[in-house]
Amino acid sequence: MLEKRDFYINGAWVAPAATSDCEVIDPSTEEVCAVISLGDQADTDAAVAAAKAAFPAWSTTSKDDRMAVLKRLLDEYNKRADDMAQAISMEMGAPINLARNSQTGAGSWHLEGFIEAFKSFEFESMLRPDAPSDRILREAIGVCALITPWNWPMNQVMLKVAGALAAGCTMVLKPSEVAPLSSIVFTEIMDAVGLPAGVYNMVNGDGVGVGSQLSVHPDVDMVSFTGSTRAGTAITKASADTIKRVALELGGKGANVIFADADEKAVKRGVLHMMNNTGQSCNAPSRMLVERSYYDEAVEIATETANKVTVGLASEEGRHIGPVVSEVQFNKIQDLIQQGIDEGARPVAGGTGRPEGLNRGYFVRPTVFADVNNDMTIAREEIFGPVMAMIPFDGEDEAIKIANDTVYGLTNYVQTQDKDRARRVARAMRSGMVEINGQGRAQGAPFGGYKQSGIGREGGHWGIEDFLETKSISGWVE
Ligand code: NAD
């Protein structure tokens, strides 16, 4: 079991002022694997004060200096990849292979994307050639509160920290109290990078405590949050009195539209994508929309695919899926599966209860529902577990209508061999991202959503922009 760790404030590990603790539970065993302190107002204030004091110097460092920091971060991060994978696997239940490759790998992948985008990033430009004395400056917004969730911990921490660093912001990271261990390793990495004191600070805490304190803090200029729409709404309201910029990466209810002419692997690929990370991804393709003429065959393929997905301990090597993160999530998912049955959807794989042979741990059966309609709860709510809903459709217009009939708009998917149709449908989808025929996104592509999936974009050029103000100066003479 890990010992309780201090917070990282003003370039040093310091003992928390806080008196309350929080147990971290290994979701594979339901046992306590670490204890952290939950910060209180004094910890929050100290971290924000350190970030505020460091801002004037850090925000005026040269682009070269900040590029050097990003490159050192990449080196130090890669050195600690094994420790990072172990921490992620234990705290949120990602099987160790997934933790090493996708989870830990996401951090370095995004950082490389930032480094590439930063090379050509311009902080100063002329408005237009015919207005040479109008100068446009892009300047760091200030002190940023970075509040992150448990599902892709390093993906989200790196998207925020590296973007804020490149922009010249100073920051306070508050990782999820459910999965704080990876951020402790990350903070050791940041310590090794050797930044000026106060540029990067980390305080553990929960939403009611440190999360809310950061959101209302008068010296915080921006909150960058990833997590539930519920918390995103609370943060937006809490930030309103001090007119903070709020960037939000929230939930999703992605549609994967499969036309009858889709490639033969499309359905299998969609199911496996859904089950990846035990369904705990905001961009999961959780609604599979299938053209009616292909629907019965697609249901058969989906059933067979889901039945072959194995479930096991996070510590074991292999391509199985792990548990979901917590008892709260386990119970929520069980209730939603039951609700699917009660509302008349047809479970063709999985169902309620644990998979056979697993009596402990928050393990969920890989579940597929057929004959779902888009008004059912399982088609509307973000389940955040390995549960997929299949919905038949007739024609392109209906597919687009169903895909867009959701409060979310994060990632949608299209599968067809008709290139014109693929582009038409992708354009018509009201979402920040669309993936065609299983093609993954390139490094540095903007990540973010429309509607209630969020505000702002992370990653690459856009992820630096998110942390900048725009200043317009006239009368500029070289
Ligand atoms: P959450 O949104 O409650 O927590 C995410 C982060 O926000 C944590 O660091 C938490 O401490 C903090 N937080 C919570 N309430 C806050 C508040 N009022 N002010 C400031 N910070 C606050 O997520 P959760 O409870 O861990 O999961 C609940 C649901 O959220 C899941 O079932 C899932 O649907 C969704 N979720 C979505 C994503 C995503 O990437 N879209 C990620 C995690 C969870």
Side-chain angles (χ1 to χ4, degrees):
M1 191 169 96
L2 281 181
E3 286 301 310
K4 214 160 57 170
R5 284 302 300 260
D6 293 347
F7 300 153
Y8 191 78
I9 298 175
N10 209 22
W13 292 97
V14 295
T19 49
S20 56
D21 289 344
C22 170
E23 290 179 338
V24 182
I25 309 292
D26 176 343
S28 294
T29 61
E30 301 184 32
E31 277 166 19
V32 178
C33 62
V35 177
I36 57 160
S37 303
L38 293 179
D40 65 17
Q41 189 71 50
D43 300 298
T44 304
D45 288 347
V48 172
K52 188 181 177 188
F55 181 72
W58 179 249
S59 59
T60 49
T61 47
S62 70
K63 193 176 146 184
D64 285 351
D65 285 351
R66 298 210 290 278
M67 178 64 102
V69 162
L70 293 180
K71 288 183 174 167
R72 281 211 300 281
L73 175 55
L74 183 59
D75 284 348
E76 295 295 335
Y77 185 86
N78 286 338
K79 277 190 217 162
R80 297 291 304 276
D82 282 347
D83 298 335
M84 186 59 84
Q86 293 293 345
I88 295 174
S89 181
M90 184 158 63
E91 69 186 0
M92 56 74 66
I96 189 65
N97 292 41
L98 181 82
R100 276 193 206 112
N101 302 329
S102 306
Q103 286 275 6
T104 303
S108 41
W109 192 75
H110 285 306
L111 183 49
E112 287 161 9
F114 275 118
I115 290 171
E116 195 50 41
F118 198 48
K119 283 181 192 161
S120 57
F121 200 91
E122 299 282 353
F123 285 89
E124 274 192 41
S125 58
M126 202 188 282
L127 177 63
R128 281 191 311 274
D130 66 329
S133 61
D134 275 63
R135 199 77 175 176
I136 305 301
L137 269 50
R138 309 304 315 279
E139 296 185 332
I141 189 165
V143 173
C144 298
L146 313 178
I147 302 177
T148 56
W150 43 261
N151 57 326
W152 285 93
M154 272 312 112
N155 180 79
Q156 287 134 347
V157 165
M158 193 63 91
L159 280 170
K160 296 187 190 310
V161 171
L165 280 176
C169 291
T170 58
M171 65 208 76
V172 179
L173 172 66
K174 191 211 80 64
S176 167
E177 66 278 26
V178 178
L181 308 182
S182 52
S183 282
I184 293 173
V185 176
F186 182 79
T187 302
E188 290 168 0
I189 292 168
M190 291 299 282
D191 188 47
V193 168
L195 286 161
V199 171
Y200 168 87
N201 306 274
M202 191 278 292
V203 177
N204 284 131
D206 56 15
V208 184
V210 178
S212 303
Q213 290 154 13
L214 287 168
S215 309
V216 297
H217 206 292
D219 291 333
V220 169
D221 300 285
M222 171 172 173
V223 182
S224 176
F225 168 78
T226 300
S228 62
T229 300
R230 174 202 63 77
T233 308
I235 288 168
T236 307
K237 287 182 182 165
S239 298
D241 284 342
T242 44
I243 319 287
K244 295 185 200 327
R245 183 182 298 172
V246 179
L248 303 170
E249 295 292 346
L250 307 175
K253 195 71 198 176
N256 184 6
V257 176
I258 302 185
F259 288 93
D261 70 346
D263 68 277
E264 59 178 17
K265 295 198 175 131
V267 173
K268 183 175 176 189
R269 191 167 64 231
V271 175
L272 294 178
H273 191 162
M274 178 64 232
M275 301 300 166
N276 188 39
N277 205 37
T278 320
Q280 302 168 113
S281 301
C282 44
N283 59 355
S286 51
R287 293 179 297 152
M288 184 179 277
L289 278 45
V290 185
E291 193 163 13
R292 201 172 297 274
S293 59
Y294 182 48
Y295 179 74
D296 288 342
E297 193 180 334
V299 170
E300 266 180 46
I301 300 169
T303 306
E304 197 185 324
T305 308
N307 283 335
K308 283 191 187 150
V309 172
T310 52
V311 185
L313 297 180
S315 55
E316 282 171 6
E317 301 271 344
R319 299 184 64 188
H320 56 286
I321 62 169
V324 296
V325 73
S326 65
E327 188 177 5
V328 173
Q329 288 299 109
F330 178 84
N331 290 336
K332 176 186 155 189
I333 295 161
Q334 295 299 324
D335 287 351
L336 281 163
I337 294 175
Q338 188 56 51
Q339 212 164 335
I341 297 167
D342 295 346
E343 290 180 17
R346 178 163 61 101
V348 292
T352 53
R354 287 185 169 81
E356 236 177 58
L358 291 165
N359 304 320
R360 244 154 70 99
Y362 308 123
F363 296 100
V364 175
R365 299 169 69 194
T367 298
V368 174
F369 280 104
D371 306 348
V372 176
N373 75 56
N374 207 44
D375 294 327
M376 291 180 183
T377 309
I378 54 169
R380 304 213 76 79
E381 279 195 24
E382 188 180 43
I383 299 175
F384 238 56
V387 183
M388 194 183 84
M390 297 185 76
I391 304 174
F393 70 82
D394 295 297
E396 196 175 308
D397 289 347
E398 195 188 21
I400 293 166
K401 191 164 161 255
I402 298 172
N404 288 338
D405 178 18
T406 164
V407 296
Y408 295 112
L410 195 58
T411 310
N412 285 307
Y413 303 80
V414 193
Q415 323 293 332
T416 173
Q417 300 197 48
D418 177 340
K419 291 185 209 131
D420 293 334
R421 176 156 64 188
R423 290 196 302 269
R424 231 174 17 243
V425 174
R427 282 185 200 282
M429 284 171 154
R430 298 286 300 157
S431 58
M433 296 166 284
V434 179
E435 295 184 22
I436 298 173
N437 292 333
Q439 170 80 50
R441 291 153 39 77
Q443 224 170 26
F447 191 101
Y450 286 16
K451 304 195 274 181
Q452 291 184 27
S453 288
I455 299 173
R457 294 292 178 271
E458 295 193 311
H461 181 94
W462 291 267
I464 301 170
E465 289 253 320
D466 240 26
F467 291 98
L468 292 172
E469 285 282 17
T470 301
K471 181 184 278 177
S472 169
I473 305 176
S474 56
W476 183 279
V477 182
E478 283 295 343

